Amino acid sequence: ARPGVARLVAAWEPPARKSIGAPRTLRVVDPTGDHGDWVALFAESARRFGATIHDSPDAPADTLLWAIPRGGEPADAVKQITAYLSDLAIGTAPAGIDRVVIATLGAEHIGDDPLPSVFSAGAAVAVESLVAEWSGMRCVRLDLPATPPTAADAAAAMAAIHTVGERDFAIREGVVHVQRLRRADLPTDRTPVGSAVVIGGTGRLGLAYARRLIDRGARAVTLVNRGGPRPEQATELADLRAGGATVEVVGCDITDPAAVAAFVRGRTEPIDLLVHAAVDYVHGRSAALDAAAVHRALAAKVDGLRHLLDGSAIGPGTTVDLCSSVSATFTGPGLAGYAAGNRMLDAIAPHLRAGGVHCRSVRWGVFGDPDAGTDAYRALVADAAGAGLLDLTPDEAFDAGVTAAVDEDCLVLRADWETLARVCELQGRPRLLPDPVCPDALPAPSVPATPSAAPPATPSAARPAAEAADPVEVLPAILRSVLGLEPDEPIDRTMPLVGLGVDSLQALDLNRMLLGALGRDIPATTLLSGASVDDLIDVLRSPPAGG
């Protein structure tokens, strides 16, 4: 049986233990100068760790401190982040750099913090996605307080930069905090909703919301999309109406303030629940990052919500559900625009709550459907499955995520927890997930897994005959399959695997294939530690440890 659905909440807390690694040599990239006061204090505290800090682009270094500019007003966040990503020239990894520290100012909301920077939160996860294209690069997130820095803050930040076994840090009042995902109780609240508006309502998730709301007694549901009713959905809409509710489909481009104002003026009753499930999916690596597509996606996610709020779509009794994505937590190559939009929604949630709005942001897992979506989205579902993130059905996800405490943000996902834990370890955050690794939280559904969510562990092209057990033949064949190379394409056996382009997910695939073909379990961390094909052949030809 497949794992059940789990509900997790993110927490920031001081680490129970901390291990300090070797001194680092940092090169600071701060084009706006927003981190200038911090860098000056860093230089002083670096000496305590034997570290060195340079601000010259040509200075030798092993660590890049990438300073995200200070964010402006939330209303300007989409324009600001689009301009920021348009100006970025990622290129190839800088020579000698094996770690990138992405530093933000007030991007996280911890305790009584000032409200988070929506721009900085989105920009940080976008940069993380872009940096993930640099094979073998370790990425660290470091959120600094938005208030003027103190020497204690700078010392704590320098300790975080040198900490081993953690990856997500926040510095508050001179104390290092790390991120943890904690298992949360599954909800029992089944409070009925009278009138609901679902933005992105004719999408798969939006329709699932509508169906569940009607099952719970909603009397009126308005589904909002750009184009209005679609003939191919007539049967599905008729099924919804058969549940006894009034179901209306309204065309409204929420990125257009005038269209939103007209929609709000046309309503005759208050909204009990506003579900923001709009999405304009954008996928592309840095070389193909389309500024117009990124702006369109962010506008649907972020500006559309602002237009609804500015247009007084909600009242004192309205609850707002924001549909985010686990891409804001587990991002990767090609997800810069998509992950940024979802992370910005997460950062908006505390702004709404501070204004008296009952609001939650739910980072949904992967909704896999081999018969729907674009080729890029289907590829994303397959990649996510390889990283341990398995497909959800909207109905079970809804039960886990949107009937709990209104003002608590959460993650709702199904996972192969062992694989996901290994991915987290590769990313440098082995203690992010609950310990012990999260067990099933809901019974597995009776429906079978979608084909796209379970790629074969060992593709046939990389599965040699049992008698062909010579690593000299087996390893290059498997490696070509993992990298998508032609069967006869030459491979430099002296080059480290990371230099050949093997990333963390491909290292997991390589590990699984070696286990299936040769019965040898070579940890992905070893595969990414600088080993070449020849190095691995030597390892594979030697007896297993303890054997």
Side-chain angles (χ1 to χ4, degrees):
R2 290 197 300 160
V5 175
R7 182 171 173 269
L8 307 175
V9 294
W12 288 96
E13 56 195 47
R17 59 186 184 276
K18 188 164 53 180
S19 300
I20 301 298
R24 310 294 298 182
T25 301
L26 291 86
R27 182 190 305 157
V28 178
V29 178
D30 183 21
T32 64
D34 287 354
H35 293 245
D37 292 343
W38 281 96
V39 173
L41 288 174
F42 283 164
E44 297 177 13
S45 60
R47 288 192 291 271
R48 294 175 48 192
F49 295 87
T52 306
I53 294 184
H54 302 290
D55 57 10
S56 167
D58 300 321
D62 53 34
T63 303
L64 195 65
L65 182 63
W66 190 318
I68 301 291
R70 188 183 299 274
E73 292 297 319
D76 299 325
V78 168
K79 184 183 301 182
Q80 188 178 4
I81 198 169
T82 302
Y84 180 72
L85 293 178
S86 298
D87 292 340
L88 284 183
I90 294 295
T92 58
I97 299 292
D98 63 10
R99 184 177 303 179
V100 176
V101 178
I102 302 173
T104 50
L105 297 170
E108 301 293 341
H109 191 240
I110 304 172
D112 297 328
D113 275 356
L115 293 173
S117 165
V118 176
F119 160 77
S120 297
V125 74
V127 169
E128 181 185 358
S129 173
L130 296 172
V131 168
E133 298 180 25
W134 292 343
S135 184
M137 188 66 65
R138 176 61 55 86
C139 187
V140 173
R141 291 191 200 177
L142 176 64
D143 189 53
L144 306 169
T147 52
T150 66
D153 290 333
M158 194 56 55
I161 290 171
H162 286 84
T163 295
V164 177
E166 300 286 356
R167 202 208 66 158
D168 304 291
F169 301 96
I171 308 302
R172 297 296 187 268
E173 298 183 351
V175 177
V176 177
H177 294 72
V178 292
Q179 189 175 53
R180 296 286 186 263
L181 297 179
R182 301 300 187 195
R183 191 170 66 242
D185 292 335
L186 289 171
T188 57
D189 173 32
R190 296 291 185 268
T191 305
V193 172
S195 172
V197 171
V198 184
I199 308 300
T202 56
R204 190 175 181 219
L205 182 57
L207 288 169
Y209 259 95
R211 187 180 308 110
R212 272 294 197 258
L213 292 172
I214 292 169
D215 289 345
R216 289 167 50 201
R219 67 176 185 277
V221 178
T222 302
L223 308 177
V224 178
N225 65 10
R226 277 200 180 97
R230 301 205 300 258
E232 65 271 21
Q233 292 184 316
T235 300
E236 193 160 12
L237 293 174
D239 289 343
L240 290 178
R241 294 182 178 112
T246 300
V247 179
E248 181 184 16
V249 181
V250 176
C252 176
D253 181 357
I254 62 171
T255 66
D256 180 355
V260 172
F263 166 71
V264 173
R265 285 195 305 268
R267 290 198 56 81
T268 58
E269 64 177 322
I271 300 172
D272 296 323
L273 174 66
L274 176 66
V275 178
H276 184 42
V279 60
D280 195 335
Y281 178 67
V282 58
H283 182 275
R285 295 187 176 235
S286 58
L289 200 60
D290 184 326
V294 170
H295 185 272
R296 186 171 62 249
L298 296 182
K301 277 280 187 184
V302 180
D303 282 347
L305 175 62
R306 178 169 56 86
H307 296 154
L308 288 162
L309 300 176
D310 291 347
S312 300
I314 65 173
T318 304
T319 293
V320 178
D321 280 350
L322 303 178
C323 294
S324 179
S325 162
V326 294
S327 66
T329 302
F330 305 105
T331 192
L335 297 176
Y338 181 67
N342 287 296
R343 183 67 188 91
M344 292 166 82
L345 274 192
D346 298 334
I348 288 171
H351 286 259
L352 297 184
R353 290 193 287 263
V357 177
H358 292 297
C359 170
R360 62 187 151 216
S361 182
V362 182
R363 296 186 187 184
W364 298 108
V366 179
F367 293 98
D369 187 343
D371 300 320
T374 64
D375 289 342
Y377 187 77
R378 286 190 287 272
L380 169 66
V381 172
D383 288 346
L389 294 169
L390 306 180
D391 66 304
L392 294 164
T393 66
D395 289 344
E396 64 189 353
F398 183 92
D399 282 345
V402 302
T403 54
V406 169
D407 293 333
E408 183 178 65
D409 301 334
C410 64
L411 296 85
V412 175
L413 67 158
R414 184 201 310 283
D416 173 344
W417 295 103
E418 182 179 350
T419 298
L420 185 58
R422 293 168 69 190
V423 170
C424 288
E425 183 176 3
L426 285 172
Q427 293 177 336
R429 45 182 178 181
R431 291 184 283 274
L432 175 68
L433 297 177
D435 185 18
V437 174
C438 192
D440 294 357
L442 280 180
S446 57
V447 296
T450 57
S452 64
T458 308
S460 57
R463 187 179 297 168
E467 63 271 13
D470 187 351
V472 172
E473 299 296 330
V474 175
L475 179 56
I478 291 177
L479 187 57
R480 289 186 183 95
S481 176
V482 167
L483 294 174
L485 304 177
E486 295 297 327
D488 57 351
E489 193 163 342
I491 289 178
D492 184 347
R493 290 174 31 174
T494 66
M495 180 176 287
L497 298 186
V498 293
L500 294 173
V502 175
D503 60 24
S504 57
L505 294 185
Q506 290 168 329
L508 288 175
D509 286 340
L510 187 56
N511 168 272
R512 285 193 290 263
M513 293 179 189
L514 288 172
L515 187 60
L518 297 174
R520 294 293 296 273
D521 185 4
I522 307 296
T525 48
T526 299
L527 300 174
L528 296 174
S529 65
S532 67
V533 173
D534 281 343
D535 293 333
L536 290 179
I537 288 173
D538 289 342
V539 171
L540 292 168
R541 281 179 162 173
S542 63

